[in-house]
Amino acid sequence: GDLEASRPTGELLDPDGERRAQLVRFDGQDGRWVAMTFSGVPVKVAKGSIRCLTGDELCGLDLVLGPRSDEVVLAGEMLSELCSKGYCFSHTVIPCSASARMVDAAKEVSYVRVPSEFEPHYLGRDSREKTALVDFDGPEVPRALADSPIADQDRRMGSLCAALSEGLEEELGIRIASRTNLLLRQTFADDEEEADFISPAAPNDAERESFLSLMKRKRVCVMQFVGPLTGHL
């Protein structure tokens, strides 16, 4: 058979030396590969115009989560990274249209600000952002959000965490009994918008107890930068 047509889907490649992408499927009608670039653009690539990416060309990425990635393989590799260095830096390939829908859906959410003394622990040092907890099983989730790719990404992250569960307990002694709801966080557009989100008054005893309980139980955290702005971790 045709060697190029039998390449494994999910392979990472560099079509024409211009864009990093993942193979999705082979189009037998025109003899070209359908691929998805890391920036979410679908492209068609001639059979002779692709080559495999090297590790150095991944620019520090440990893993790439694309539309044709094997979840079992991903979970195994992610576990290996967590065991060896305590974190895993991955890139999720999301179609541009889906990314745009995620940004639009996030506008339908009612955001609040957590107490200032909790912000460094929830959001990281020097992070001041508006946030929203989303329970996709709850009755109050906006329809635009429930039907958006944000819900799909939340399910995928939940599925990946479930796949990691057994290995985390065997290798690190971490038993995942539950997961928190999705925490959406968005950078303030400017100082004026931040001024509209005044930090709540000092938390009461019940809120402090709930916060300390979460910080004590939290063992694995998954963060996903959606954009369009960049982030620093």
Side-chain angles (χ1 to χ4, degrees):
D2 190 329
L3 178 62
E4 288 292 339
S6 64
R7 299 178 75 102
T9 56
E11 188 173 20
L12 303 181
L13 59 118
D14 178 15
D16 297 322
E18 296 178 356
R19 291 177 286 191
R20 298 176 297 170
Q22 185 185 64
L23 292 179
V24 177
R25 62 181 175 85
F26 184 74
D27 188 339
Q29 291 187 337
D30 64 5
R32 292 188 296 172
W33 276 96
V34 176
M36 182 71 70
T37 68
F38 282 20
S39 57
V41 178
V43 295
K44 280 197 170 184
V45 189
K47 294 186 294 184
S49 300
I50 58 178
R51 67 176 179 81
C52 293
L53 288 174
T54 65
D56 292 339
E57 291 173 303
L58 292 179
C59 301
L61 292 173
D62 296 316
L63 295 172
V64 175
L65 286 70
R68 298 296 296 179
S69 297
D70 187 308
E71 189 173 278
V72 175
V73 174
L74 283 175
E77 293 298 322
M78 190 172 290
L79 178 65
S80 177
E81 296 295 332
L82 291 174
C83 290
S84 63
K85 60 184 182 182
Y87 66 91
C88 179
F89 182 37
S90 62
H91 175 77
T92 302
V93 178
I94 301 176
C96 289
S97 57
S99 295
R101 287 176 58 203
M102 292 170 74
V103 172
D104 288 339
K107 298 176 183 177
E108 303 299 320
V109 179
S110 297
Y111 292 93
V112 297
R113 192 164 183 177
V114 301
S116 57
E117 63 183 273
F118 291 170
E119 280 188 337
H121 307 282
Y122 276 129
L123 308 177
R125 291 190 298 270
D126 301 321
S127 291
R128 299 187 303 275
E129 299 160 323
K130 54 185 179 181
T131 65
L133 274 175
V134 181
D135 179 5
F136 283 105
D137 294 325
E140 299 180 358
V141 60
R143 177 55 54 188
L145 190 63
D147 294 339
S148 77
I150 293 178
D152 297 333
Q153 290 300 310
D154 183 67
R155 284 190 290 270
R156 186 176 193 186
M157 291 300 104
S159 178
L160 190 58
C161 287
L164 281 169
S165 181
E166 183 178 349
L168 285 172
E169 186 168 6
E170 290 179 354
E171 299 294 333
L172 298 176
I174 298 174
R175 182 171 181 268
I176 298 181
S178 63
R179 55 160 291 193
T180 60
N181 291 328
L182 174 69
L183 176 68
L184 280 179
R185 49 192 288 186
Q186 192 171 67
T187 304
F188 294 114
D190 48 38
D191 292 340
E192 184 176 346
E193 184 186 29
E194 183 176 358
D196 292 335
F197 286 82
I198 301 174
S199 295
N204 57 39
D205 291 342
E207 290 173 327
R208 290 179 187 277
E209 183 177 351
S210 176
F211 167 75
L212 291 173
S213 175
L214 175 61
M215 292 297 107
K216 182 179 179 180
R217 291 183 291 111
K218 185 173 71 172
R219 291 294 180 270
V220 180
C221 178
V222 179
M223 298 178 63
Q224 182 173 353
F225 291 94
V226 176
L229 299 179
T230 59
H232 177 72
L233 182 62

